[in-house]
Amino acid sequence: MTTTKSDALLPAQGIEAPRSGRIDPKYLRNGFSKSGSFEMAAWVFMRVSGAALVVLIFVHLAVNLLVGEGIHQIDFGFVAGKWANPVWQFWDLTMLWLAMLHGGNGMRTIINDYAEKDSTRMWLKSILYLSVIVIIVLGTMVIFTFEPCLLDNSGQLLESSPSFCQNV
Amino acid sequence: MTQTKGTLYKGREGMWSWVGHRITGVGIFFFLLVHVLDTSLVRVSPEAYNAVIGAYKNPIMIVGEIGLVGAIVFHAFNGLRIILVDFWSQGTRYHRQMLWTVMGLWVITMIGFTVRHLMLFLDGWGGF
Ligand code: HEM
Ligand code: HEM
């Protein structure tokens, strides 16, 4: 396909920018509108977090599903082995925060698009923000309060404990 | 290419890639809500976690995992295309070619992933 043909398909190209200067301020992109700077930051965040998430998630999937025994290797001991390493703790923490904020912001856009009634939009967004906060707090606490070597009532190591617990 | 009638966007590649990006984004979001909840079972007990995560090793879930990874890979590659359309000076000119690149890379990635995932699954599978 040649570019001249596709250029010819764009009708807006023949229209010049208005020169009167009488433009509603909300359409100006100079940062003077109130919601403008937040939406601009959100737009940039979607792109920056998206680029980071490609690496974070692809490595997560590769390590958990494609190496070793794949899906069969995943159990309590596998998680314990990973989170014994601060690199994986930090990896999961970053992935959790970025994915939830990116996905949450994307869901906000979608609610704004489809929920036309003010009260519906307000309710859906309240539920969304609450779920995002609960999941981020829960996920963060799980990573940092995780205890791999659990004891039973008599002080014995649980049978299902990962093998490295024997050495501590 | 033929001159199209009416709108330039509706029903064309740009619209369908947008629909696909939106649906996969919502799907991944809901998966992640459940995924953080199931991972949090490591704080309940090893047995609870192993029981629930065991569900991921059943043949129906294996198909579901291929679907999930398919959604992620499309959303990721198409997301990179959106970023290029926005920031690369030639982005808008090549948006359509980039979409076909996304689809091609998606097919290749998914063939590789599906084969590997199924083989590892069959290797360790104890049967019904
Ligand atoms: C079928 C595919 C998947 C499997 C089998 C899987 C497995 C796991 C496992 C075993 C963990 C425990 C810790 C670790 O291994 O690092 C975990 C944690 C995590 N995964 Fe996945 N995962 C999958 C897909 C995903 C996807 C697509 C995302 C992102 C959208 C994701 C995001 C996370 C996050 C944020 C955590 C940390 C949870 C927390 O803080 O409690 N996972 N996953
Ligand atoms: C794998 C890396 C990812 C990349 C490169 C990526 C990229 C993007 C981009 C560029 C947008 C468009 C933002 C805009 O139009 O302003 C977007 C939207 C979105 N993303 Fe992602 N994303 C990724 C992962 C995720 C994850 C893990 C989730 C869910 C937790 C998610 C959910 C969404 C949602 C719901 C939208 C809104 C869709 C819409 O408005 O139509 N994305 N993503």
Side-chain angles (χ1 to χ4, degrees):
Chain A
M1 201 194 65
T2 63
T3 43
T4 37
K5 271 187 189 163
S6 83
D7 287 346
L9 284 174
L10 296 173
Q13 283 189 338
I15 302 171
E16 294 200 23
R19 279 165 298 174
S20 67
R22 283 180 281 111
I23 303 171
D24 189 319
K26 76 180 177 222
Y27 296 120
L28 293 175
R29 295 176 184 178
N30 54 13
F32 281 104
S33 69
K34 260 191 249 133
S35 70
S37 55
F38 173 77
E39 291 300 338
M40 183 63 185
W43 184 91
V44 172
F45 172 76
M46 287 307 273
R47 279 139 188 87
V48 173
S49 59
L53 282 167
V54 176
V55 179
L56 291 165
I57 295 178
F58 279 31
V59 170
H60 182 67
L61 291 171
V63 168
N64 288 6
L65 292 178
L66 299 178
V67 301
E69 296 163 48
I71 187 81
H72 294 292
Q73 72 195 339
I74 297 177
D75 60 10
F76 185 84
F78 177 82
V79 181
K82 271 185 91 175
W83 283 349
N85 183 342
V87 172
W88 288 126
Q89 287 187 318
F90 179 73
W91 194 279
D92 286 352
L93 185 74
T94 316
M95 187 165 60
L96 170 77
W97 280 69
L98 288 184
M100 282 311 294
L101 292 175
H102 175 107
N105 187 243
M107 294 298 287
R108 181 183 66 93
T109 306
I110 296 176
I111 292 172
N112 282 339
D113 277 359
Y114 298 119
E116 287 176 15
K117 238 174 92 190
D118 281 353
S119 58
T120 318
R121 214 165 45 238
M122 199 270 289
W123 273 110
L124 288 175
K125 281 201 258 181
S126 309
I127 298 169
L128 173 71
Y129 297 155
L130 190 69
S131 343
V132 169
I133 293 171
V134 167
I135 293 292
I136 289 183
V137 170
L138 175 71
T140 304
M141 284 171 48
V142 167
I143 296 176
F144 289 114
T145 63
F146 178 69
E147 175 52 65
C149 306
L150 295 169
L151 306 179
D152 65 14
N153 292 333
S154 59
Q156 286 291 95
L157 208 57
L158 285 185
E159 263 184 55
S160 48
S161 298
S163 50
F164 66 72
C165 293
Q166 310 290 342
N167 312 323
V168 284
Chain B
M1 212 184 84
T2 52
Q3 184 82 28
T4 37
K5 294 190 195 79
T7 152
L8 289 162
Y9 183 69
K10 199 173 174 189
R12 302 274 302 263
E13 301 93 327
M15 183 188 107
W16 293 114
S17 64
W18 171 79
V19 170
H21 199 78
R22 189 158 264 202
I23 292 175
T24 51
V26 174
I28 302 162
F29 180 77
F30 284 113
F31 164 78
L32 188 58
L33 293 186
V34 177
H35 185 51
V36 174
L37 291 175
D38 64 49
T39 303
S40 70
L41 289 173
V42 295
R43 292 290 290 114
V44 176
S45 75
E47 288 76 15
Y49 182 76
N50 291 348
V52 169
I53 226 65
Y56 282 82
K57 304 169 187 178
N58 133 329
I60 298 169
M61 291 299 277
I62 294 295
V63 177
E65 283 142 31
I66 295 171
L68 171 72
V69 172
I72 302 261
V73 171
F74 174 79
H75 191 95
F77 288 173
N78 190 57
L80 294 176
R81 183 188 69 103
I82 296 175
I83 295 172
L84 283 175
V85 169
D86 289 337
F87 293 115
W88 178 37
S89 60
Q90 303 293 306
T92 47
R93 172 164 296 162
Y94 294 111
H95 74 99
R96 194 173 294 118
Q97 286 88 332
M98 288 197 287
L99 183 60
W100 292 113
T101 311
V102 164
M103 295 316 291
L105 290 175
W106 183 84
V107 170
I108 296 169
T109 311
M110 286 316 289
I111 292 176
F113 174 79
T114 306
V115 169
R116 176 81 183 151
H117 194 51
L118 285 178
M119 275 171 44
L120 284 170
F121 163 66
L122 290 174
D123 262 357
W125 192 40
F128 286 105

